Amino acid sequence: MKNNGLTGLRLCRDCDLLVKIPSFENSPGWKQQAVCPRCGYCLEQHQPSSVLISLALVVTGLLLFLPANMLPVLSMEIMGNVRQSTVMVGALALHDEGLIVVAWLVIATAIVIPLLRLLILFYVLLAVITASMHRTAARMFRWYTHLGEWGMMEIYVLSVLISIIKLADMANVNIGYGLYCFVALMLVELIISIYLNPHALWNQLGKNHES
Amino acid sequence: MNLEYSRGIDKGLILCLDCQKICQDNEQTCPRCSSKLGRRKANSLSRSWALTLAAMILYIPANVLHIMTVSKLGDGKPETIMSGIMTLINQNMLTIAGLVFVASILVPLLKLLILFWLLLNVQLRRLASDNQIKMYRLIIWIGRWSMLDIFIISLLAGLVQYGHLGTVTAGPAAYAFASVVVLTMWAAKSFDPRLLWDVSALENNKPSIKEPDYG
């Protein structure tokens, strides 16, 4: 950050209070927080996270993406008839029944947005490592935060579990390999969201294009 | 710089909501991430009102129309959200019934009521309290979980296609319900919590009485 008298100052996102916060640089406490004294919003968290480990997590997620979406999540059997379903098949079933927008919503929140977030993060982390392309990376990183609440993999996993129990009295329901990959992908996204320090990434993106 | 009870808006500072950089208020876009800057979220009140009211209207068809039809051996019975939960209770699946009730009925209703209440508070210039900001954070956090029912329907409709033996088809309420989820998430996002605190800055005469532009 440029030294224009604003060093150490934060504006609270939720109540617009101007707050001076201590520097976390020599502080050992993981996840130690500076919170807004008025509304309790977390202004900054001490969270040293390595770019390379983040990148490794993102690559893990990208590798899991294809099997999670290609392999069947659930399969079910009534009197010898076996049907298998991936995330996509469920969405297409809605599409066939005329609920086109709902089908797109499922595809977007369970498949496309989680993938998009991983790809954006991949690009941003590469930009930070190679110290280039910061303008584009900054523009894309904005989308990463905007899309955050629209990626709903964990909700999808819960809905799979509920469906299994609901269908259990009707037929034989089996869990497919796709579900294991899907859960793993969900966990990777969860770990990324806990581990990643957006504040530090923004600072690095900002530093490089100023110089 | 005297920091006691200063708002950014009084010091000529704007927070970039995308990258959290503090910018000067003569800047149009954030120098770091080039997103548009504004003292408060653009048209926050009118946008959240419109979206909340639209969601309130759609909440009715979402609960009255049938959300899916489960047919076994030829005879189908259309279910609404509530009758689906009753079926689960009759089958003694109380935990799932509870989960679906919370995600599909309680959470959307709570979200609508809280949004309505927050907007009224700003409109009537009520002082900000801990409860308001807590409620705001609650709806931001739980809002997404209402998608649960939509996902369950898509899974069932994709799997249970056995012709005469049994089929599950989605009903028109799924449209209305999905709209309620998206509209309320959008409304909560458009709402600017700083408006709640601006009221208290006006009431306390501290440190300045500059009226923020509510837009």
Side-chain angles (χ1 to χ4, degrees):
Chain A
M1 200 181 278
K2 268 186 292 181
N3 193 17
N4 46 6
L6 296 176
T7 326
L9 289 182
R10 289 280 179 282
L11 269 180
C12 173
R13 192 192 169 88
D14 279 1
C15 76
D16 205 23
L17 191 71
L18 197 57
V19 189
K20 196 173 181 63
I21 64 163
S23 161
F24 280 127
E25 256 152 46
N26 300 316
S27 153
W30 168 260
K31 294 259 173 189
Q32 193 174 37
Q33 293 179 329
V35 293
C36 172
R38 182 157 73 169
C39 74
Y41 178 79
C42 171
L43 297 161
E44 194 168 332
Q45 208 170 58
H46 178 65
Q47 197 176 327
S49 64
S50 119
V51 176
L52 279 177
I53 293 177
S54 312
L55 190 66
L57 285 167
V58 172
V59 172
T60 315
L62 287 172
L63 288 175
L64 283 166
F65 181 82
L66 269 187
N69 285 287
M70 303 297 281
L71 298 176
V73 170
L74 284 181
S75 67
M76 142 176 190
E77 192 213 320
I78 297 182
M79 300 184 183
N81 294 315
V82 180
R83 270 190 71 89
Q84 296 183 321
S85 177
T86 60
V87 185
M88 200 66 183
V89 167
L92 290 178
L94 290 179
H95 192 276
D96 292 342
E97 284 160 28
L99 297 163
I100 296 159
V101 182
V102 185
W104 280 108
L105 190 64
V106 172
I107 292 175
T109 51
I111 304 176
V112 177
I113 291 176
L115 175 66
L116 219 57
R117 291 188 82 214
L118 284 175
L119 289 175
I120 291 176
L121 208 52
F122 187 67
Y123 186 91
V124 170
L125 290 169
L126 276 187
V128 168
I129 289 172
T130 60
S132 59
M133 305 175 294
H134 280 107
R135 277 258 158 222
T136 341
R139 209 158 286 170
M140 287 172 77
F141 198 34
R142 283 171 54 199
W143 281 99
Y144 179 79
T145 13
H146 277 293
L147 290 174
E149 54 180 337
W150 297 97
M152 305 188 182
M153 295 192 71
E154 69 275 33
I155 305 171
Y156 197 88
V157 170
L158 183 62
S159 79
V160 173
L161 299 181
I162 293 181
S163 302
I164 294 173
I165 305 171
K166 265 184 135 173
L167 290 170
D169 67 325
M170 212 168 150
N172 274 330
V173 187
N174 291 308
I175 293 168
Y177 289 113
L179 185 61
Y180 295 114
C181 297
F182 201 87
V183 171
L185 178 54
M186 179 210 87
L187 288 176
V188 168
E189 293 229 356
L190 193 70
I191 294 168
I192 291 175
S193 71
I194 295 169
Y195 181 73
L196 202 73
N197 184 349
H199 232 89
L201 276 180
W202 274 121
N203 279 340
Q204 272 177 310
L205 288 178
K207 208 185 298 161
N208 282 302
H209 85 69
E210 268 161 23
S211 60
Chain B
M1 206 189 289
N2 176 24
L3 287 182
E4 216 173 328
Y5 299 111
S6 299
R7 292 180 303 163
I9 200 171
D10 303 318
K11 297 281 180 192
L13 299 172
I14 297 179
L15 180 75
C16 170
L17 290 179
D18 284 355
C19 77
Q20 321 270 333
K21 185 182 168 66
I22 303 181
C23 308
Q24 306 293 331
D25 65 358
N26 51 15
E27 285 165 314
Q28 299 283 313
T29 55
C30 171
R32 182 159 71 182
C33 72
S34 47
S35 80
K36 251 174 94 182
L37 294 174
R39 288 185 180 82
R40 296 290 179 259
K41 288 182 189 168
N43 302 321
S44 169
L45 278 186
S46 25
R47 262 185 216 179
S48 323
W49 268 124
L51 293 164
T52 308
L53 292 177
M56 278 176 164
I57 295 166
L58 282 164
Y59 186 73
I60 301 165
N63 280 288
V64 173
L65 299 176
H66 56 269
I67 196 151
M68 62 175 163
T69 307
V70 184
S71 27
K72 274 181 204 164
L73 301 172
D75 58 325
K77 78 175 187 303
E79 280 184 342
T80 61
I81 296 178
M82 201 60 211
S83 74
I85 295 170
M86 293 319 262
T87 317
L88 285 175
I89 293 177
N90 289 337
Q91 290 166 339
N92 234 353
M93 298 193 229
L94 293 178
T95 325
I96 301 182
L99 265 176
V100 176
F101 178 77
V102 169
S104 308
I105 295 194
L106 212 58
V107 167
L109 188 65
L110 214 66
K111 249 167 79 175
L112 288 172
L113 292 177
I114 290 175
L115 274 167
F116 193 77
W117 178 68
L118 285 174
L119 286 163
L120 266 187
N121 272 322
V122 176
Q123 212 85 66
L124 300 175
R125 306 278 167 97
R126 287 242 222 103
L127 273 173
S129 69
D130 276 359
N131 284 338
Q132 291 168 347
I133 202 79
K134 267 179 204 149
M135 288 295 163
Y136 168 74
R137 284 174 193 152
L138 180 74
I139 56 169
I140 291 277
W141 183 73
I142 57 171
R144 318 153 62 234
W145 285 91
S146 304
M147 274 296 280
L148 190 70
D149 224 15
I150 298 287
F151 287 148
I152 294 177
I153 294 165
S154 89
L155 270 163
L156 294 185
L159 268 177
V160 192
Q161 295 295 340
Y162 290 93
H164 186 68
L165 279 175
T167 52
V168 171
T169 47
Y175 240 127
F177 187 77
S179 311
V180 172
V181 179
V182 172
L183 287 176
T184 46
M185 279 175 69
W186 195 6
K189 242 191 134 121
S190 311
F191 182 77
D192 196 332
R194 292 172 294 186
L195 296 178
L196 290 167
W197 299 93
D198 287 340
V199 179
S200 71
L202 294 174
E203 297 283 323
N204 287 340
N205 276 0
K206 197 194 282 179
S208 90
I209 324 180
K210 191 162 57 182
E211 182 104 16
D213 39 337
Y214 286 107

